[in-house]
Amino acid sequence: MSMNPNDFASLIDKIDSALKSGQLNSWQSTYLSDMRTKLNRYGTKTRLSEKQAAKLHQIVAAHGATRSRFHPNVIPFKAATPGHTPRSLSASKLNSRQLRRWRLTRSTRWSVVALALAAALWAIQRADGTSVDPNSISTQYSVRALALSDFSVTDGDTIRVFGDNAGTRLVGFNTPETFEPRCAAGLELGRRATQRLTELVTSAKAIELQVVRCACKPGTDGTDDCNYGRSCGVLRVDGQDVGPILISEGLAAPFYCGATSCPPTPRPWCD
């Protein structure tokens, strides 16, 4: 089930407003930043559990945002027990087909989950696209100057320009995930990369974003089938691409793709 685009944009705006309020404690700020990373990565296809959605509403509502219309769009992967109806579905609304679905055995359900997760991991490796050559004129779409008030840092290799429905994946390098990290070392390094990118843009006299073509199949640009709806770009601070800076400091790994697909995402920090 996909999130309504209007609700998705509204949720992003509420999170940004809360983060810019200066009233969050350390845990709340980290939680919202991590959830925004997930939303930027998966766009309107983001899957939130009931607990995640409730916690998001609790935090943003407490910091000036009006009540959000977003709802959890995934039923928790919890085995159904006899006589138990999952909270995400009302018993009165369950049709016979849904009831049969919930009567699957525990082993069958988890087999389906395992296959879905495997497919998702493969898709992330193939769809998390970056440009073939960030410096090639043929891949350039536009170049614009940015002020600090125009965008936010999502993680070490992703930013979000305010007003866009999805983030911008920075090309030519990969940094560790801070949301759903693959290992403890990756989480720590990912937080350092995010902090370092924040420092680079904060101290820069000039910030420039060059939007480039993502390494996706023709006709899929701007859709969830291409880089989860994100655009791709090169971020420069005082004329320098931030990618090589992070790579030289051991906070990122080089990552270049082909014309329409990418190799497996490099993650040496979790080897």
Side-chain angles (χ1 to χ4, degrees), residues 224-241:
D224 287 339
D225 292 329
C226 177
N227 205 23
Y228 305 105
R230 297 176 297 178
S231 59
C232 293
V234 178
L235 186 67
R236 296 188 176 92
V237 291
D238 297 328
Q240 289 185 287
D241 183 349

Side-chain angles (χ1 to χ4, degrees), residues 20-268:
K20 293 168 67 175
S21 70
Q23 300 175 359
L24 300 174
N25 60 37
S26 177
W27 183 89
Q28 290 172 328
S29 180
T30 299
Y31 184 82
L32 287 190
S33 295
D34 288 346
M35 292 304 297
R36 189 179 60 184
T37 298
K38 182 173 184 177
L39 290 164
N40 284 347
R41 176 173 292 279
Y42 299 110
T44 56
K45 290 186 176 180
T46 304
R47 295 160 62 90
L48 301 178
S49 68
E50 289 184 356
K51 183 176 180 180
Q52 288 172 327
K55 182 58 65 176
L56 275 176
H57 166 67
Q58 178 184 358
I59 296 175
V60 299
H63 293 86
T66 57
R67 184 172 182 85
S68 172
R69 291 186 298 158
F70 69 90
H71 302 282
N73 58 1
V74 59
I75 297 171
F77 291 137
K78 180 178 180 180
T81 55
H84 172 73
T85 300
R87 288 182 297 171
S88 299
L89 292 175
S90 168
S92 63
K93 295 181 180 179
L94 287 175
N95 57 36
S96 59
R97 183 177 180 181
Q98 290 171 319
L99 286 172
R100 287 196 301 271
R101 192 173 297 169
W102 280 103
R103 286 168 182 162
L104 290 172
T105 63
R106 180 188 296 268
S107 61
T108 302
R109 277 195 303 274
W110 281 104
S111 296
V112 172
V113 171
L115 289 173
L117 289 175
L121 290 174
W122 181 87
I124 288 172
Q125 290 182 341
R126 304 303 297 177
D128 192 7
T130 60
S131 172
V132 179
D133 181 0
N135 299 308
S136 170
I137 295 177
S138 64
T139 65
Q140 179 174 322
Y141 284 175
S142 64
V143 178
R144 62 176 295 189
L146 294 177
L148 281 175
S149 58
D150 293 332
F151 71 102
S152 61
V153 172
T154 301
D155 57 26
D157 56 28
T158 308
I159 65 170
R160 178 176 177 269
V161 178
F162 297 133
D164 290 353
N165 286 335
T168 299
R169 175 61 156 87
L170 305 180
V171 306
F173 66 103
N174 185 56
T175 60
E177 301 294 338
T178 55
F179 189 88
E180 298 178 349
R182 299 206 171 189
C183 62
L187 174 59
E188 175 61 25
L189 196 65
R191 288 174 174 169
R192 287 170 52 197
T194 302
Q195 180 61 37
R196 179 57 175 147
L197 180 57
T198 302
E199 292 173 355
L200 288 172
V201 298
T202 301
S203 62
K205 295 180 180 179
I207 306 170
E208 181 182 85
L209 177 64
Q210 174 187 341
V211 178
V212 298
R213 178 178 60 80
C214 294
C216 301
K217 294 180 179 179
T220 62
D221 285 5
T223 71
D224 287 339
D225 292 329
C226 177
N227 205 23
Y228 305 105
R230 297 176 297 178
S231 59
C232 293
V234 178
L235 186 67
R236 296 188 176 92
V237 291
D238 297 328
Q240 289 185 287
D241 183 349
V242 299
I245 296 176
L246 295 176
I247 292 172
S248 69
E249 296 178 1
L251 300 174
F255 182 33
Y256 293 102
C257 299
T260 59
S261 63
C262 296
T265 308
R267 296 184 177 91

